[in-house]
Amino acid sequence: VGPGSQEGQACWARHGRAASMSRIMRPDDANVAGNVHGGTVLKMIEEAGAIISTRHCNSQNGERCVAALARVERTDFLSPMCIGEVAHVSAEITYTSKHSVEVQVHVMSENILTGTKKLTNKATLWYVPLSLKNVDKVLEVPPVVYSRQEQEEEGRKRYEAQKLERMETKWRNGDIVQPVLNPEPNTVSYSQSSLIHLVGPSDCTLHGFVHGGVTMKLMDEVAGIVAARHCKTNIVTASVDAINFHDKIRKGCVITISGRMTFTSNKSMEIEVLVDADPVVNNFVKRYRAASAFFTYVSLSPEGKSLPVPQLVPETEDEKKRFEEGKGRYLQMKAKRQGQAETQA
């Protein structure tokens, strides 16, 4: 969504290194439960981040560039957004390294009948500036001025942590999701799903590679299919663990978005989503892993209340290993939330 676009007539404001956008949620933004699709929210978050980071990276004289999404930190869906509400997305640059930009984004929903507003999402995104002359060339980022020295130190720690985790994720994401004939219910194979998509011009930036928000929306759709197949109920996105973008996806590629269940708690499901790109018109480039993430979903009754989730039955050693890893992430996040609640109390 951008200034003057037919979809939403977005309104933009810029104050230094911040930007905001507003758009009313329409029926075609809905998921099957009637709320706004999680992928739609992720797409808006990425669009706001891409605009403010591209603006900043071109704020000084030098080679022109476009900011490409490299990573999205964990984002929680704190409250559902309804059709007819207005989404307010605000983005701010909070740290810059030599070759990357950190953008923090907040999403508020507004009931325009009552004026009530609520926070629905918070996310942190990392972008890298790519030269318009050569999109494989990463340029330097203009520095920002911090109001406090502690802000720069805290930002540097976040930068080092995400850089290390992004590399570790790339190393361990070599496997692929293989189909299985006649799988048993509640197994990984029973609910795993894939979507094949030909990347067209409408999916891409003006420079020929896919918008990060387009990829995230497709990933959320596949994760939602996996969750619905597993529990046979309405499902909604509860959170997204870090989304890592390992490589660019160019126009004309065929992408395969694969999802598989990795872990279930009593009331949540963790789904791993992998994106592989196949440059079918280029014999010199092989299929490669472009992105990966973990999505967490919850099961809902027709009245919108949380339901128990059928327990996943891992069969192979790899599935059992991924289940234990998912359990570790679940317990770690649960402890973190409890700690935050105790601090606030």
Side-chain angles (χ1 to χ4, degrees):
V1 181
S5 67
Q6 294 179 352
E7 185 190 19
Q9 294 296 315
C11 176
W12 292 92
R14 185 184 181 193
H15 303 285
R17 61 189 194 213
S20 63
M21 155 183 130
S22 298
R23 181 165 82 80
I24 193 166
M25 297 291 98
R26 298 176 173 176
D28 56 356
D29 295 314
N31 58 23
V32 293
N35 297 318
V36 175
H37 198 293
T40 298
V41 178
L42 290 172
K43 191 169 183 284
M44 289 191 295
I45 289 172
E46 196 278 329
E47 286 168 344
I51 288 177
I52 192 62
S53 53
T54 298
R55 280 176 176 169
H56 176 75
C57 293
N58 287 282
S59 61
Q60 296 182 358
N61 292 330
E63 193 171 345
R64 300 295 91 181
C65 63
V66 61
L69 183 62
R71 177 178 167 89
V72 181
E73 301 290 355
R74 179 185 175 89
T75 178
D76 292 297
F77 288 75
L78 305 172
S79 179
M81 191 181 300
C82 301
I83 302 307
E85 292 184 332
V86 174
H88 299 283
V89 186
S90 58
E92 181 181 6
I93 293 174
T94 48
Y95 179 75
T96 57
S97 69
K98 185 176 181 181
H99 295 294
S100 65
V101 181
E102 180 191 55
V103 181
Q104 294 190 10
V105 181
H106 288 69
V107 183
M108 302 283 293
S109 66
E110 177 191 2
N111 184 319
I112 55 179
L113 300 179
T114 65
T116 304
K117 292 184 178 180
K118 57 188 177 183
L119 179 68
T120 63
N121 295 81
K122 294 189 293 183
T124 301
L125 302 89
W126 294 89
Y127 290 84
V128 293
L130 305 180
S131 168
L132 295 185
K133 297 179 181 178
N134 176 10
V135 293
D136 292 320
K137 178 183 178 182
V138 178
L139 301 180
E140 292 191 10
V141 175
V144 295
V145 178
Y146 302 95
S147 58
R148 295 180 295 107
Q149 183 177 355
E150 291 82 359
Q151 288 179 325
E152 184 174 8
E153 291 299 322
E154 292 165 358
R156 183 177 293 110
K157 291 179 181 178
R158 294 193 300 270
Y159 166 75
E160 294 296 339
Q162 66 85 27
K163 183 178 179 181
L164 178 61
E165 186 174 335
R166 187 153 49 93
M167 291 304 299
E168 290 177 346
T169 303
K170 187 173 183 178
W171 293 335
R172 67 172 183 261
N173 266 342
D175 59 341
I176 60 175
V177 178
Q178 298 284 6
V180 175
L181 294 176
N182 302 318
E184 293 293 325
N186 299 337
T187 62
V188 175
S189 301
Y190 184 80
S191 60
Q192 70 182 28
S193 304
S194 295
L195 182 154
I196 298 175
H197 179 75
L198 174 63
V199 176
S202 62
D203 299 319
C204 298
T205 67
L206 295 176
H207 317 293
F209 55 89
V210 176
H211 285 285
V214 170
T215 305
M216 289 196 291
K217 187 173 182 181
L218 291 171
M219 294 172 79
D220 185 71
E221 288 179 3
V222 170
I225 293 171
V226 174
R229 280 181 167 171
H230 180 75
C231 60
K232 306 295 185 183
T233 62
N234 286 336
I235 45 84
V236 293
T237 313
S239 65
V240 185
D241 208 342
I243 304 176
N244 291 289
F245 291 82
H246 309 298
D247 209 338
K248 297 182 293 298
I249 303 172
R250 287 180 167 80
K251 180 174 64 179
C253 282
V254 171
I255 55 174
T256 303
I257 306 98
S258 302
R260 63 187 172 197
M261 194 77 64
T262 51
F263 171 75
T264 55
S265 67
N266 290 333
K267 290 191 176 181
S268 68
M269 301 162 275
E270 183 191 71
I271 296 127
E272 183 179 30
V273 182
L274 307 172
V275 181
D276 294 311
D278 187 1
V280 291
V281 296
N282 189 341
N283 292 328
F284 300 101
V285 181
K286 296 182 180 180
R287 179 183 172 121
Y288 60 92
R289 178 63 41 82
S292 59
F294 290 100
F295 287 71
T296 298
Y297 274 75
V298 293
S299 174
L300 297 179
S301 70
E303 295 74 32
K305 295 184 178 180
S306 179
L307 292 175
V309 171
Q311 291 305 289
L312 182 66
V313 181
E315 297 175 298
T316 69
E317 290 303 316
D318 284 342
E319 290 172 0
K320 293 175 183 177
K321 179 181 178 182
R322 287 194 291 268
F323 186 93
E324 291 302 317
E325 291 172 346
K327 183 178 180 180
R329 287 186 290 269
Y330 168 77
L331 294 175
Q332 185 178 21
M333 187 51 58
K334 185 178 181 180
K336 183 178 179 180
R337 285 197 300 266
Q338 291 174 343
Q340 290 174 341
E342 292 172 359
T343 301
Q344 293 173 355

